[in-house]
Amino acid sequence: MTTPLLTFNALSIAFRRRGEWRTAVRDVSLSVQPGETVGLVGESGCGKSTLAMAGLGYLPDNARILAGEISLTGESLATMSPARLQQRRGDTIAAVYQNPATALNPALTIGRQISEIFEYQKGLTARAAMTAAKAMLEQVRIANPEQLLRAYPYQISGGMQQRVVIAMALAGEPDLLVLDEPTTALDASIQADVLALFDDLRRDLGVAMLLISHDLGVVRAVCDRAAVMYAGEIVETAPVSELFAQPKHPYTASLIDCIPTGHTHWSHERLASIPGYPPALGERGAGCAFAPRCPVARAACQQQPVALAWLNNSHASRCLFPEDTAAPGGNRPPATPGRPAGERVLESDDLVVGYKGVRVLDGVTLDVRAGETLALVGESGSGKSTLARALTGLTVPDAGSVRLDGTALPGAQRKRVQSTRRALQMVFQSPENTLNASHRIGPALGRAIRELGGLGYRAARALVPERLAQVALEADTANRRPAQLSGGQRQRVAIARAFAGDPKAVILDEPTSALDVSVQAAVLDLLIDLQQRRGTAYLFISHDLAVVRYIADRVAVLFLGRIMEVGPVERIFSGVRHPYTAELLAAIPDWAQDHPSTQAAPVMTGARDRPTGCPYASRCAYVMPQCANEPPPVREPAPGQQIHCHLPINELPGSLYE
Amino acid sequence: MLRYTLRRLGMLGVTLLVASVLIFLITAVLPGDIGRIILGPFAEESAVRALNESLGLNDPLVWRYFDWIAGVLQGDWGQSMSLNTPVLPLALERFSRSLALAALAVAMLLPLAIGAGVAAGRRPGGPLDRVLSVVGLGLGAMPEFVTGVLLIVVLGLGLDWFPVQATTPADGSVWAVIHGLMLPALCLVLLLFAYLFRMTRSGMLSALEADYTRTARLKGLPERLVLRRHVLRNALLPTVTVMGAQLGWLVGGLVVVESLFRYPGIGSLLHNAATNKDIPLLAGCTLLVTAVFSLANLAADLVYALLNPRVRDALAD
Amino acid sequence: MRSLTRSLTVSPGLTIGLLMVMVWVVTAAFAPWVAPHEPTAMGVGPQTAAPSWGYWFGTDQYGRDILSRVIYGGRYVLAIAPASTLLGLILGTLIGLLAAYGRGWLDEVIMRLLDAIMAFPIVVLALLALTVLGSSTLNVILVIGLVFAPLIARTARSAALTEVRKEYVEAARLRGEGHWYVMVMEVAPNIRGPLMVEATIRLGYAVFTSATLGFLGLGVQPPAPDWGVMVSSSRSLLTTAPWAVLAPALAIAAVVIGFSLIADGLRDREQQ
Ligand SMILES: Nc1ncnc2c1ncn2[C@@H]1O[C@H](COP(=O)(O)OP(=O)(O)OP(=O)(O)O)[C@@H](O)[C@H]1O
Ligand code: SF4
Ligand code: SF4
Ligand SMILES: [Mg+2]
């Protein structure tokens, strides 16, 4: 057997916080063999990044290794001299992290930042190093490296920045890449692209990888083997195919069942949710850490710590009753049919919003019906949030109109009447900023009930416990401040606030994109229940197509401020579709069976240089001569589905439905 | 960069315009009866009125402002009442002396404060950091008239290393000039050291914690190079931004230090004008100092933009 | 309160700073009981007597007791500094909030005006204003407060700018809250932290500036025992009676150090 590149052996790490040592990583044993790709998954705060930094010998000052050992190709980090460690970084192990924007030095050109590695590690001259840097950029599939070498980091897009970071990591020809959420900050189609790049690197260079992600889909698509972490421990490790076919730890099984598959609507298959929350750092019971939330827990589980046990030579689980783990889908509650859509509630007609002379929204026409969810998808910069702001009057549109229940609304929020505000509300993306940090939940929610529900102070305050209960929060949440709540809890408060005056339509701007999958599943559940009880119309903005497939009845696809396509969700996912929709769908990690062989990265055209015809023309694989100049006609391959494209219906991508 | 410079120059113009209006309002309107102030409480009412008339003080306000600013632009900065000489030549001559003093102070200050800040920020919490931080705290809390007095006692009178009265011998060598100006310059250094030191230190701390520094280390670069190329450059940016504002403190310090060491610069001129209620001289000196201070701020901003490609681009359009 | 006690134990700097300032506040407040002599009474002791059991800090050229003068002098500094800082804080916060919340041209106009005021070196502006207005304690407070307002406004604005972009502000607008409600009830509480830090820093500078003005003869007027005035009027005694200069000088330093320790402690707590 070969020596593993990286080994964690019974490793425990603690952080010092407010004068106390709290264990963040406990008894972790894991190794990465040459050429292997190992995934490390788990929800936020479970210790993934801590483990990765430990592997690089770069723990923060307030961290301490309590027990165990880390070794690089058999050589223990604990006994390594600083000079030796510096040498091994780069030539054995290199890293790529989540946020490429901060990982690059803002004051130096890209070329300088890559070439210095060759100068100091390989002793090349400045000129030779620059040539080598150029070659490196070509290796990460960058089209015109010369230009990039002279650019500063802020001048290039996030996807490009991440490629540059990868190029830097590869420059020392390392045997192992540690990738900490390398695609989390990127748009879906760019994520697919970067993942495809990893695949190539693995094949061409044989470099091993430790890929850290909270996204099971990514791990499934890229890795050979995966380890699942919970509360600082590895709870299960197995080859990816085995792990997803039949997990042997209830946490893994629940986690898998929390993730929308991208194939079904909630009325056919409901997502599972995991009750409760993971233990806070250093605050877990004596027994199995998952016991308080485990669907099959028994008395024995609470008594003493559970050890990681090997079930066969490649599959290990930290569970006393691994065979009781449900099969995939086994944690999902039965589905119930949804209610039919009603009248049109919220409509926009030819809405235009300009910003610094550029049309960010260029004639958007949409409608949402009572009890229905219309999803709005599109890459970042396509104008999704601008549309939400224009509908709610936070941004005043330059042209076009917004109608609520058939009545045209004034463009500016200020000019709207209170009954309009009550009827049209919004839930925002960031759980950090959606609530005022200095207001307690009770008064904040009371204020919303008072203003939107038209109630007096006392009556409004009296309603707070009931409203909290409706979003499954305990009554004592009212006395807390936002900082004392988790992201999911805050988002529930924000939902309760939006529902304070029994709205007819709610705009949800990426309400779950900052949440962990298990929390996301619970919040989606809540939204579905509220809608089914009250018949609220939802405009659900998201870049996650699997979530869209799960929650939406209809989908609108936005590109550079124009609607490309609108249609029923099942038509768009399984029928013919607009070429741009096809590109978006191809980017779902396990959607496409094999990866779209590394296509040139989509050129990000800004709204500024949009052609007069189809805005997608500069990127479209099906582009025809008339596309750039003539506005595309509307195709209707099925009732309710409208595709704006010059292609005849039978040449559109996707297959005709049924 | 050119567009940025032009834009920044435009902003400077607006700032100076507003500042000149302010000076005008304070010196020409706030005092009320100027004639009475000049002639004193016992003068005849008719004499006061005649003086006001001859000074043009009865004209409309806007008119008076334009009159004044037109004069200023043509080099007519008025007449000093206490010294009975035109303001501009006097102020310029004094200013050039202050410049020499300030230059000496800055030349000593920058290497000292920045060096200390870098050394302390390099190992936060280490012995050197602790010592320097306490020293910085102490110096930052001493007004310049206190440190000046101490310097006079110790280095001037006690050890007799430097003259107590700042002088610039007309025919002396450069060293003689520096020797003569040493005490007041040191006093200014001590005044500005604390703040600049703290800015540099905290710049070091945040650059050392930044993700790009982690990247540089994990690239396997030698620590020396990480520090020089990745940390230092970014760490000094905030120091550059406050440098312009610090010159304001320097000017304030000049007022005290020059009076204390009886050095005939713009600072002591300002102080004398204030003590003698010589309003035209006061207005002129303030205008000159403000203009120079704004120019210095502009220069600091330009250096900042040069060092920081992002600002350079963002502000150009 | 609990968080206050905790931060006192966690941050020794904050504790020391508070103690240093409190000593002066208490002695100044109870000066008639604490001070052994009348501060302005001449000849209570021999002229320029060295510190002794009878005159802890010695006496000056008029035979006044320096300890008593320093204790009473605290009253000037500790009235001028907080009052002027408070004035600057109120004005600055309002201006900063208005600029951040108003955005666009309102922000631009306000910022240009502040730039113009900040184009004056502080001491020079104070010199100019006090010469014209005449020096009185009230004028010193007004002038220091006014020159500090733009600096505080800048801090308030930049803190408020990050706040007004947050989604809770949009949520408030979506339920139809008025501008004043959003500014005062929603945004203002969230910029309290940085403003407290800034105000404490300014307190130190206010002590500094008022002492400097006193020294230059433009602040509090002799024979009042203001610390800056004391340094200025005894500086000719440096070689013969250094205590006459050192006592008020060290008093200034102690108060300024106290305020900067408090500011540091508050800032650390902010960042946690
Ligand atoms: N420097 C630190 N000081 C104190 N606690 C820390 C520090 N770094 C991480 N922690 C804590 O250790 C635990 C594990 O953190 P870690 O960043 O490794 O989690 P993660 O799985 O990478 O989470 P995410 O998915 O959010 O990136 C968390 O509770 C975190 O709050
Ligand atoms: S040990 Fe018990 S509580 Fe823990 S996962 Fe297994 S069954 Fe659940
Ligand atoms: S109109 Fe032309 S460019 Fe646009 S999507 Fe259709 S084929 Fe592509
Ligand atoms: Mg992480």
Side-chain angles (χ1 to χ4, degrees), chain B residues 111-136:
Chain B
L112 261 179
I114 291 176
V118 168
R122 180 84 183 73
R123 292 192 202 296
L128 187 63
D129 178 35
R130 282 175 193 244
V131 170
L132 284 172
S133 294
V134 169
V135 169

Side-chain angles (χ1 to χ4, degrees), chain A residues 39-383:
Chain A
L40 194 58
V41 287
E43 298 183 272
S44 85
C46 69
K48 307 180 297 284
S49 300
T50 307
L51 202 53
M53 283 300 131
L56 293 157
Y58 205 84
L59 282 172
D61 291 339
N62 63 337
R64 190 174 76 185
I65 295 184
L66 296 177
E69 196 187 35
I70 309 154
S71 31
L72 280 182
T73 54
E75 195 179 345
S76 168
L77 279 191
T79 55
M80 215 181 263
S81 72
R84 175 83 180 131
L85 180 62
Q86 178 203 316
Q87 182 200 350
R88 310 280 332 243
R89 288 174 184 160
D91 81 0
T92 306
I93 184 167
V96 175
Y97 346 77
Q98 172 165 355
N99 192 346
T102 56
L104 294 169
N105 188 332
L108 298 179
T109 60
I110 304 287
R112 197 84 199 85
Q113 295 188 55
I114 303 178
S115 70
E116 65 179 0
I117 307 177
F118 293 104
E119 281 177 41
Y120 290 89
Q121 290 232 327
K122 304 245 162 87
L124 299 188
T125 62
R127 176 178 300 215
M130 204 49 98
T131 317
K134 191 179 140 204
M136 220 55 246
L137 288 178
E138 276 160 0
Q139 186 147 45
V140 295
R141 316 271 185 278
I142 284 176
N144 39 3
E146 258 110 18
Q147 201 186 330
L148 199 64
L149 286 174
R150 282 191 304 273
Y152 287 95
Y154 69 92
Q155 292 169 322
I156 62 179
S157 69
M160 277 296 193
Q161 288 174 339
Q162 196 60 299
R163 277 160 201 272
V164 170
V165 176
I166 296 169
M168 288 189 337
L170 292 173
E173 295 175 30
D175 305 313
L176 171 66
L177 278 183
V178 175
L179 310 160
D180 189 356
E181 308 264 7
T183 58
T184 306
L186 306 177
D187 242 347
S189 55
I190 299 168
Q191 157 167 317
D193 232 53
V194 171
L195 291 180
L197 173 66
F198 288 147
D199 240 18
D200 289 0
L201 293 175
R202 196 152 67 121
R203 211 175 36 243
D204 301 350
L205 308 176
V207 50
M209 298 184 192
L210 178 63
L211 174 70
I212 294 170
S213 179
H214 67 278
D215 188 339
L216 282 172
V218 167
V219 167
R220 182 182 200 173
V222 176
C223 299
D224 305 320
R225 202 152 60 82
V228 181
M229 282 189 85
Y230 183 78
E233 295 172 334
I234 290 188
V235 293
E236 180 167 11
T237 162
V240 165
S241 53
E242 231 176 289
L243 191 74
F244 283 86
Q246 178 54 62
K248 295 286 187 191
H249 192 284
Y251 175 63
T252 318
S254 302
L255 201 58
I256 292 175
D257 285 352
C258 285
I259 303 169
T261 56
H263 299 291
T264 46
H265 188 251
W266 59 265
S267 59
H268 295 289
E269 196 178 28
R270 220 43 202 259
L271 292 181
S273 52
I274 310 180
Y277 300 93
L281 193 62
E283 285 170 20
R284 43 164 288 178
C288 168
F290 189 55
R293 308 173 72 190
C294 177
V296 293
R298 299 176 211 176
C301 306
Q302 314 270 9
Q303 278 146 19
Q304 59 205 27
V306 182
L308 192 70
W310 289 94
L311 307 172
N312 60 39
N313 60 7
S314 63
H315 200 149
S317 163
R318 198 183 279 273
C319 175
L320 294 175
F321 309 102
E323 298 310 324
D324 289 358
T325 305
N331 291 300
R332 294 190 170 159
T336 47
R339 63 195 279 166
E343 291 297 304
R344 287 180 181 177
V345 176
L346 180 65
E347 296 163 85
S348 79
D349 199 8
D350 223 359
L351 216 51
V352 175
V353 173
Y355 181 70
K356 286 191 176 164
V358 180
R359 286 185 158 206
V360 181
L361 286 187
D362 192 12
V364 172
T365 303
L366 283 177
D367 63 88
V368 197
R369 293 161 184 269
E372 171 199 64
T373 302
L374 173 70
L376 183 67
V377 301
E379 63 199 33
S380 73
S382 58

